[in-house]
């Protein structure tokens, strides 16, 4: 088994588009030849488009793109730009008078980071498609991860900068990878050693606090929790799977999220994972599901470690440097 670049997985093109000043962006995964797909949603506050297409009883057996974006529910407009790009190229379901591209989308909440009036729109979605053809995808403060943050139990004053990350592996002919934008309410831990690497800062911002421990100080009901978080991503494989199997693979990939984010899948998150089959390699569903959890964990760590401090929020590298100097 070897680590590969996410761009090496055949059958998809991935692109970022963003507005750095406004603090938002989107990341598209184009499947121009069509791809079977599944989806597993565990968070209580998702913002999504065309998610019902991925249910086993839905007629569609393939989609043509997955879009991850900022902008909360406002960002759902960006999928229109992806549809326009694909329709112009004759990609989609043939309905006689045109071809209708099937584009699924999930959004994260980044409105409180910079300019809340600017969100991903159709123009940005279209731009992401153009950039996908240039293979411009990169990890960090780009695309859907432009303004992502983590550790927000006490609001934006004590959180840290996160981003978008990827990780992929190959064993034999089988390739499997993950792309994920990490905008979690909880803290992020290295799943291999249990060490916390990002999340809720202390009052003086010179150490960490445990979100879980802070939550457990009181069990009183909070009626108006703000839904402003979400970790969204996709598993991509060249394995040959149908929709039912991909829904299960996406479900197994959620284990990877639970290994590194705590708390996770809360009512104030919208945690969603897609799974895309973009190839014809025969592989066991459970093996791929197990690997999906692993690559998703690593992609989350990549998202946090690749992020740079921005908009007044420190990154992992900022925190390490500052705390080391103070010691």
């Amino acid at each position: 088994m070897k680590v590969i670049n996410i761009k090496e997985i055949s059958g998809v093109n991935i692109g970022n588009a963003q507005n750095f000043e406004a603090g938002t962006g989107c990341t598209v995964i184009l499947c121009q030849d069509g791809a079977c797909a599944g989806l597993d949603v565990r968070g209580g506050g998702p913002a999504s488009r065309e998610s019902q297409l991925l249910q086993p009883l839905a007629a569609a057996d393939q989609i043509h793109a997955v879009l991850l974006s900022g902008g909360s529910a406002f960002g759902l407009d960006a999928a229109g730009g992806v549809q326009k790009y694909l329709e112009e190229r004759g990609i989609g379901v043939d309905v006689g008078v045109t071809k209708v591209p099937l584009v699924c989308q999930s959004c994260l909440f980044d409105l409180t980071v910079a300019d809340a009036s600017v969100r991903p729109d159709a123009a940005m979605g279209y731009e992401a498609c153009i950039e996908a053809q240039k293979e411009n995808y990169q990890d960090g403060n780009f695309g859907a991860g432009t303004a992502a943050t983590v550790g927000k139990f006490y609001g934006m004053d004590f959180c840290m900068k996160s981003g978008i990350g990827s990780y992929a592996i190959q064993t034999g002919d089988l390739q499997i990878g993950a792309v994920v934008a990490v905008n979690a309410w909880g803290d992020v831990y290295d799943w291999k050693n249990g060490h916390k690497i990002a999340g809720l800062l202390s009052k003086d911002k010179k150490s960490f606090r445990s979100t879980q421990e802070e939550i457990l100080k009181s069990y009183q009901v909070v009626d108006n929790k703000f839904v402003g978080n979400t970790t969204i991503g996709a598993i991509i494989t060249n394995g040959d799977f149908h929709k039912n199997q991909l829904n299960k693979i996406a479900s197994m990939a959620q284990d990877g999220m639970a290994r590194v984010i705590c708390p996770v899948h809360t009512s104030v998150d919208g945690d969603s994972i897609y799974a895309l089959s973009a190839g014809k390699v025969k592989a066991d569903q459970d093996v791929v599901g197990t690997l999906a959890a692993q690559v998703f964990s690593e992609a989350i760590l990549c998202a946090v470690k690749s992020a740079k401090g921005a908009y007044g929020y420190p990154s992992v590298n900022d925190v390490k440097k500052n705390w080391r100097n103070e010691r």
Side-chain angles (χ1 to χ4, degrees):
M1 188 179 300
K2 64 178 181 180
V3 177
I4 62 174
N5 192 294
I6 192 72
K7 299 177 186 178
E8 294 181 48
I9 299 180
S10 57
V12 299
N13 299 97
I14 310 172
N16 291 325
Q18 55 278 314
N19 182 323
F20 291 117
E21 183 178 355
T24 196
C26 61
T27 300
V28 70
I29 304 168
L30 292 180
C31 319
Q32 298 188 64
D33 294 329
C36 290
L39 171 64
D40 190 272
V41 180
R42 299 285 176 93
S48 61
R49 168 181 165 140
E50 295 278 43
S51 57
Q52 289 301 310
L53 287 178
L54 307 183
Q55 295 299 318
L57 295 180
D61 59 359
Q62 289 188 330
I63 63 171
H64 305 99
V66 167
L67 184 63
L68 311 174
S69 85
S72 188
F74 294 113
L76 293 170
D77 286 345
V82 179
Q83 280 197 307
K84 178 182 178 183
Y85 177 90
L86 292 171
E87 184 188 21
E88 288 175 351
R89 287 153 181 80
I91 297 168
V93 177
D94 193 343
V95 294
V97 293
T98 187
K99 290 186 178 179
V100 180
L102 301 182
V103 179
C104 297
Q105 181 180 2
S106 288
C107 304
L108 57 79
F109 185 96
D110 54 13
L111 300 179
T112 54
V113 172
D115 187 345
S117 68
V118 178
R119 303 97 180 219
D121 56 11
M124 185 180 284
Y126 193 94
E127 179 187 353
C129 294
I130 294 174
E131 296 301 328
Q133 296 301 335
K134 300 176 184 177
E135 297 186 338
N136 88 321
Y137 173 79
Q138 55 185 316
D139 300 321
N141 298 21
F142 302 98
T146 299
T149 51
V150 295
K152 290 172 280 189
F153 178 64
Y154 286 126
M156 301 301 292
D157 291 339
F158 300 100
C159 69
M160 289 178 61
K161 187 70 183 70
S162 180
I164 194 167
S166 64
Y167 190 84
I169 58 176
Q170 180 167 341
T171 175
D173 293 331
L174 178 67
Q175 298 173 319
I176 180 169
V179 175
V180 54
V182 183
N183 194 58
W185 191 52
D187 305 322
V188 178
Y189 295 81
D190 188 327
W191 66 284
K192 295 180 291 294
N193 57 31
H195 295 162
K196 181 175 174 178
I197 62 172
L200 181 63
L201 297 171
S202 62
K203 291 182 179 180
D204 61 8
K205 301 184 181 180
K206 295 182 179 180
S207 61
F208 287 129
R209 283 179 283 183
S210 165
T211 297
Q212 179 168 286
E213 290 180 5
E214 294 301 310
I215 289 173
L216 296 179
K217 288 180 178 180
S218 173
Y219 57 82
Q220 291 184 352
V221 175
V222 179
D223 292 326
N224 295 310
K225 285 184 179 178
F226 176 63
V227 181
N229 317 277
T230 288
T231 296
I232 51 177
I235 296 295
I236 308 166
T237 180
N238 67 348
D240 185 10
F241 298 102
H242 55 68
K243 189 191 302 187
N244 289 359
Q245 292 174 306
L246 289 162
N247 274 285
K248 182 59 178 176
I249 289 170
S251 174
M252 293 178 71
Q254 291 278 7
D255 294 343
M257 193 185 300
R259 286 173 189 164
V260 294
I261 300 175
C262 181
V264 71
H265 303 150
T266 70
S267 63
V268 295
D269 289 292
D271 304 326
S272 304
I273 299 179
Y274 296 88
L276 300 169
S277 171
K280 296 299 181 182
V281 176
K282 298 299 182 182
D284 183 84
Q285 168 188 316
D286 293 321
V287 171
V288 172
T290 299
L291 292 174
Q294 178 179 327
V295 297
F296 207 85
S297 292
E298 291 293 341
I300 292 172
L301 296 183
C302 174
V304 173
K305 293 177 180 179
S306 299
K308 294 182 179 180
Y311 312 107
Y313 305 114
S315 68
V316 170
N317 292 326
D318 295 331
V319 166
K320 286 182 177 179
K321 180 180 179 180
N322 293 338
W323 293 354
R324 182 171 61 248
N325 290 342
E326 289 175 359
R327 291 190 183 97

